[in-house]
Amino acid sequence: MAVDPDLDAGVLDAVAPVEGRLLKVHPHAFIVLHPSGRGVLVHLGIDTVKLEGAPFTLHAAEGDQVAAGDRVVSMDVAAVRAAGMSPVTPVVVMDARAETVPPVESGAAVATGDVLFTWPAGS
């Protein structure tokens, strides 16, 4: 799935989509490893690694334990757009069988802290 921020968004917070340990943290991306062993990658924008961290503010570090909804990185959407890049933010489920990942409603509006998806227990 991917989240496409509003054109007038300003600075947005990217939060941990699941509880777990921050396995990797970069200004433009992070991975949360859930206690079940599944990971979720959040990549703020497309090709934003080229911005060398400029429009991002880190609020957590590799190894930190986070709860779902904890702020990890803030992104200045206007600065990303001004650099000619897309702020579309993929949220990628890793290390999970496709049939265990529930479908997500396309085109739905979301706000920081909204539940994007849930995994069934035991999957």
Side-chain angles (χ1 to χ4, degrees):
M1 77 163 16
V3 177
D4 187 3
D6 288 335
L7 292 174
D8 303 324
V11 176
L12 292 180
D13 291 330
V15 301
V18 295
E19 70 171 299
R21 181 175 57 86
L22 290 171
L23 183 65
K24 287 288 184 188
V25 177
H26 299 282
H28 67 282
F30 60 92
I31 298 173
V32 181
L33 184 63
H34 187 268
S36 69
R38 295 173 293 202
V40 179
L41 165 68
V42 178
H43 195 288
L44 288 87
I46 308 298
D47 290 333
T48 51
V49 67
K50 296 174 185 174
L51 299 176
E52 300 178 352
F56 305 101
T57 303
L58 292 172
H59 303 287
E62 283 184 21
D64 286 356
Q65 288 294 130
V66 292
D70 284 355
R71 182 171 66 161
V72 179
V73 180
S74 297
M75 172 175 62
D76 183 336
V77 175
V80 169
R81 288 189 190 282
M85 301 201 169
S86 170
V88 169
T89 299
V91 180
V92 181
V93 174
M94 305 165 57
D95 307 317
R97 294 184 326 271
E99 65 272 12
T100 68
V101 180
V104 178
E105 181 183 346
S106 178
V110 296
T112 300
D114 284 356
V115 174
L116 299 178
F117 59 86
T118 57
W119 273 310
S123 61

